Amino acid sequence: MRNMREDERIEMVADVRADLVARIGVDESAVRVVTVEAVTWRDGSLGCPEPGRSYTQALVPGVRIVLEVDGATYDYRGTHRGGFRLCTNPMDGEIPGLDPT
C-alpha cells in the first residue's frame, strides 16, 4: 500500500468529520480527532461486518479514523479511495503487526 499524502489525510478527516457533525448534530469544533491510521483488514468488511452481507475474502488496505465528541468515540473505516462508514459493530478485523504502508 502506498503512503497517504498529508492532503489526502486532511481531506479524509474533513469528510468523516462532516458526516459525524451531520449525523449527531454538533458543532464541528466539538469534534476531536483521536487517530488516523492505515490498517490492513482481513476481509472486505473492514472489520465491521453487517449481518446478512457477504464480503471479499482478501486482505484489504484501508484507513481507520476515530473521532471523539464529549467522551464518546466514533470509529470510521474506509479505503484510501474513500467510502468511509461509521462502524457501530467493530470486530477484530485488522491484522495486528502488519504495517500496510
Side-chain angles (χ1 to χ4, degrees), residues 1 38-43 59-62 93-96 98-101:
M1 176 193 306
V39 296
T40 299
W41 308 103
R42 293 184 188 277
D43 62 31
L59 298 179
V60 179
E94 70 178 278
I95 300 174
L98 181 60
D99 181 4
T101 55

Side-chain angles (χ1 to χ4, degrees), residues 34-92:
V34 175
T35 188
V36 178
E37 61 183 342
V39 296
T40 299
W41 308 103
R42 293 184 188 277
D43 62 31
S45 74
L46 308 182
C48 192
E50 295 177 20
R53 293 205 47 194
S54 298
Y55 297 95
T56 304
Q57 297 301 303
L59 298 179
V60 179
V63 179
R64 176 190 291 143
I65 300 174
V66 178
L67 305 176
E68 184 266 331
V69 177
D70 294 329
T73 57
Y74 300 87
D75 183 350
Y76 280 84
R77 297 170 182 209
T79 68
H80 287 286
R81 295 182 183 151
F84 282 85
R85 64 184 171 139
L86 179 61
C87 181
T88 57
N89 58 332
M91 297 184 70
D92 184 359

Side-chain angles (χ1 to χ4, degrees), residues 5-47:
R5 294 186 332 250
E6 186 61 23
D7 61 324
E8 290 176 311
R9 181 182 289 252
I10 290 169
E11 185 176 332
M12 286 179 197
V13 169
D15 291 346
V16 168
R17 183 187 300 249
D19 179 80
L20 184 59
V21 165
R23 185 180 297 268
I24 65 173
V26 298
D27 188 85
E28 189 171 327
S29 65
V31 180
R32 183 176 74 86
V33 177
V34 175
T35 188
V36 178
E37 61 183 342
V39 296
T40 299
W41 308 103
R42 293 184 188 277
D43 62 31
S45 74
L46 308 182

